[in-house]
Amino acid sequence: MSVLTLCLATLLFTSLRIIGQGFEPSDDALRHVAKVVSGREWSDILLVRPEMTMDSHPGWHTILNGFQKLVHAQPDDLIVFSIVFLSLLFSFVPLFYFQRPEAWIISLLVMVLFSFGTLFRTFYGRPFIFSMFVIVLFCFLWKRIKNKEGPWVEVVGYAMAVALSTWIHGAWYLLSLPLCALVLAREWRIFWLMSLSTVIGVSVGACFTGSPLPFLYQMIFHAVEAFDSHLLQRQLVTEFQPFDGAPIMIVMVILVLLWQRLRGEDITKTLDNPVFFLAGLGWVMGFVATRFWSDWGWPAMTVWLALEIQTVLEKEITPFALKRLAIVVAACLVLFLALTNDRGSRWTRNLGVPWPKLTELGHRPWLPDDGGILYNDNMGLFYNVFYHNPHGPWRYMLGFEPIWMPKEDLAIYRKIQITGGKAESYEPWVRKMTEKDRMMLIRTSEPKIKGLEWHEVVPTVWSGRLPIEDQDADNSEKQKDGNPSPIR
């Protein structure tokens, strides 16, 4: 119990220390919080194509909304909750499944050394981390189901986890990957039981949304369109691009297998099991999109390594040996130091970075007016401007995923990507802009896009609007025609 307590405390203090340094994610965690604070639907926040009728993460937004009401949370509080809750969900639960909890700590420490970038993602505060937790849960439950004649508690528990994952994360179709791993491992009885569990879980989770069939369809449509609406792979969001094969992880696996051979152990069981096959599937499919590896293969690999470490610990060290306590203390201390240090400003990079805000009088003229549109070509700009202005009375052209954009505007955006942001590629948007609209770009110098006057609202963030004289001329024409000048 003391070992478990020490491991839990290490993970808790690690998360709190990271938050204490002022860590703030730079992507989707911001828009999830901003959406909840805004109280609006995505169609009131973004310009969206007609096929996108539902929220992709209804469960997560419900949880954030409940937490906000429970403790009267501010946006920063919701960010802290997102990071701490999801990171601890992923890291805490496995400790209770190990006979030697320190095996999980040592495995995470190895991943810090061999794959820190992927481990870093568990602090993003995003719903996909719940699905990573479900993968970890699968890695333990399949063996329990195999060893029981009536494993209904495990089957029902997994169905509940799948239901929550469907409701919270939405990517229900990817929950088929663990089932594929069972097929590769020829675990047919477990395959049928967990398939039943998955189907029931997905169905229940979809029902939680209130519109199960449209929700299930939209998530498939989203996935297909995301990979089918581009000419070059570099046009995809970074997470959807192929990875480099994580060569250092291959080295790590080879070292583990050599270690086993040196101890005279048979490596067949180490490789021929669903956990390793799931890690392998994620690795292979990572050449299609890196998230197959980071969200599905990597968690399975981390559990696989921890199970191998536990086997060695159980053989070599008795439970109450002082040597065990020394190893636990050392592993916990090194893990804490390795994760919490601010190398390369990884935890403080976004600390104090200014963004345009409605509350700043000097910024207001350079933000869209009521009912206006903010034209942008950078998702990072959307995340941050939306987070700092959740009640901004305008809509964004580009949000968290390009394929949500109207088709005509998506074509314009793809041309902007293809040309590397050349000024002329923005002209169709400039022609569509009204006096209510703004175009906001991240540049180190003033954009050369014709037809707009530009102002650097905060360092590197430029906002463009139709020139005042052009607006006055338009208003004069309207007055001549008997139309009143719009209130400005």
Side-chain angles (χ1 to χ4, degrees):
M1 182 59 71
S2 59
V3 170
L4 176 61
T5 302
L6 182 58
C7 293
L8 290 170
T10 298
L11 296 174
L12 174 61
F13 287 124
T14 295
S15 294
L16 295 179
R17 173 57 182 156
I18 289 170
I19 290 295
Q21 295 182 69
F23 173 62
E24 182 180 281
S26 57
D27 53 15
D28 287 274
L30 300 179
R31 59 106 169 177
H32 290 305
V33 167
K35 183 186 185 302
V36 170
V37 173
S38 74
R40 294 182 290 164
E41 298 298 326
W42 283 122
S43 57
D44 298 322
I45 299 167
L46 307 172
L47 276 80
V48 298
R49 60 195 298 174
E51 294 89 347
M52 299 303 180
T53 60
M54 297 187 67
D55 185 357
S56 299
H57 305 89
W60 184 237
H61 295 147
T62 299
I63 292 171
L64 288 178
N65 188 53
F67 181 77
Q68 180 190 36
K69 291 180 178 178
L70 181 65
V71 302
H72 305 289
Q74 298 300 311
D76 288 350
D77 301 323
L78 292 175
I79 288 290
V80 170
F81 170 78
S82 300
I83 296 170
V84 173
F85 171 73
L86 289 171
S87 65
L88 292 183
L89 180 70
F90 173 80
S91 61
F92 262 26
V93 174
L95 291 172
F96 296 94
Y97 282 96
F98 284 102
Q99 295 297 320
R100 298 293 181 90
E102 64 269 30
W104 179 244
I105 296 295
I106 296 172
S107 180
L108 291 176
L109 179 56
V110 172
M111 289 301 177
V112 170
L113 301 176
F114 284 86
S115 185
F116 179 81
T118 310
L119 181 58
F120 185 87
R121 287 173 56 81
T122 63
F123 295 95
Y124 277 14
R126 291 170 52 185
F128 73 80
I129 301 168
F130 191 92
S131 291
M132 294 175 70
F133 156 73
V134 173
I135 290 299
V136 170
L137 201 61
F138 165 83
C139 293
F140 293 105
L141 291 184
W142 82 269
K143 194 66 173 289
R144 291 196 171 202
I145 293 174
K146 181 177 182 177
N147 294 335
K148 285 188 176 182
E149 292 187 4
W152 299 113
V153 172
E154 286 77 9
V155 170
V156 172
Y158 188 68
M160 293 173 61
V162 167
L164 289 172
S165 176
T166 301
W167 183 53
I168 290 171
H169 183 208
W172 61 271
Y173 46 89
L174 292 178
L175 293 166
S176 62
L177 290 178
L179 303 180
C180 294
L182 290 170
V183 170
L184 292 174
R186 305 168 306 284
E187 297 286 356
W188 304 113
R189 172 176 169 269
I190 308 171
F191 167 76
W192 291 114
L193 287 172
M194 298 198 85
S195 293
L196 175 65
S197 184
T198 301
V199 170
I200 292 174
V202 169
S203 301
V204 171
C207 288
F208 286 169
T209 69
S211 301
L213 293 180
F215 176 78
L216 295 175
Y217 168 77
Q218 180 176 303
M219 296 310 298
I220 288 289
F221 177 84
H222 185 160
V224 172
E225 285 294 306
F227 285 95
D228 194 42
S229 64
H230 65 286
L231 295 175
L232 303 174
Q233 285 187 326
R234 63 179 171 84
Q235 291 179 292
L236 293 170
V237 296
T238 304
E239 296 174 333
F240 287 174
Q241 296 180 21
F243 79 147
D244 61 359
I248 196 165
M249 291 301 297
I250 298 175
V251 173
M252 186 271 290
V253 172
I254 292 173
L255 291 175
V256 171
L257 296 178
L258 288 175
W259 184 33
Q260 287 186 318
R261 291 292 285 179
L262 290 173
R263 299 197 319 269
E265 296 183 8
D266 182 10
I267 64 173
T268 303
K269 291 183 179 180
T270 301
L271 301 177
D272 191 12
N273 66 80
V275 177
F276 187 80
F277 281 127
L278 181 55
L281 273 174
W283 182 81
V284 171
M285 296 183 70
F287 291 106
V288 176
T290 188
R291 288 194 65 173
F292 283 113
W293 165 249
S294 61
D295 298 2
W296 304 86
W298 183 87
M301 179 62 71
T302 306
V303 174
W304 175 82
L305 176 62
L307 291 171
E308 297 307 312
I309 293 171
Q310 176 172 258
T311 300
V312 175
L313 292 175
E314 290 180 328
K315 288 183 177 180
E316 302 295 333
I317 303 174
T318 58
F320 301 103
L322 288 177
K323 182 179 179 181
R324 181 192 181 193
L325 182 59
I327 291 174
V328 173
V329 170
C332 288
L333 177 61
V334 176
L335 179 64
F336 176 81
L337 295 175
L339 275 176
T340 59
N341 76 81
D342 195 31
R343 182 176 182 272
S345 300
R346 56 194 179 195
W347 304 120
T348 58
R349 184 173 294 114
N350 299 321
L351 190 61
V353 175
W355 290 95
K357 296 179 182 179
L358 273 171
T359 54
E360 297 287 339
L361 292 179
H363 297 177
R364 186 63 189 93
W366 298 98
L367 289 165
D369 294 330
D370 290 4
I373 298 171
L374 196 153
Y375 290 83
N376 60 302
D377 65 354
N378 185 298
M379 285 185 287
L381 188 145
F382 159 72
Y383 295 133
N384 285 279
V385 174
F386 182 36
Y387 176 72
H388 289 95
N389 303 275
H391 300 293
W394 59 79
R395 290 188 293 171
Y396 297 83
M397 175 56 71
L398 172 63
F400 51 87
E401 171 54 60
I403 60 100
W404 277 58
M405 301 167 68
K407 287 187 177 181
E408 178 185 352
D409 295 295
L410 177 59
I412 296 170
Y413 174 67
R414 293 304 189 198
K415 185 175 182 181
I416 291 171
Q417 289 182 303
I418 286 289
T419 62
K422 288 187 176 180
E424 56 268 24
S425 60
Y426 293 87
E427 290 179 2
W429 278 350
V430 174
R431 289 195 297 268
K432 293 169 66 172
M433 289 178 64
T434 69
E435 64 183 41
K436 294 182 177 181
D437 305 330
R438 300 292 184 271
M439 182 177 292
M440 196 168 285
L441 306 174
I442 297 178
R443 298 287 191 275
T444 55
S445 59
E446 181 177 337
K448 304 301 181 183
I449 299 171
K450 297 179 180 179
L452 301 177
E453 59 176 353
W454 292 93
H455 173 70
E456 190 174 23
V457 188
V458 296
T460 72
V461 178
W462 293 82
S463 179
R465 66 185 182 187
L466 295 177
I468 296 296
E469 57 269 22
D470 292 349
Q471 297 181 27
D472 291 339
D474 290 341
N475 293 336
S476 298
E477 290 296 324
K478 290 179 181 179
Q479 288 177 331
K480 289 180 182 179
D481 294 337
N483 295 322
S485 176
I487 298 175
R488 295 182 54 200

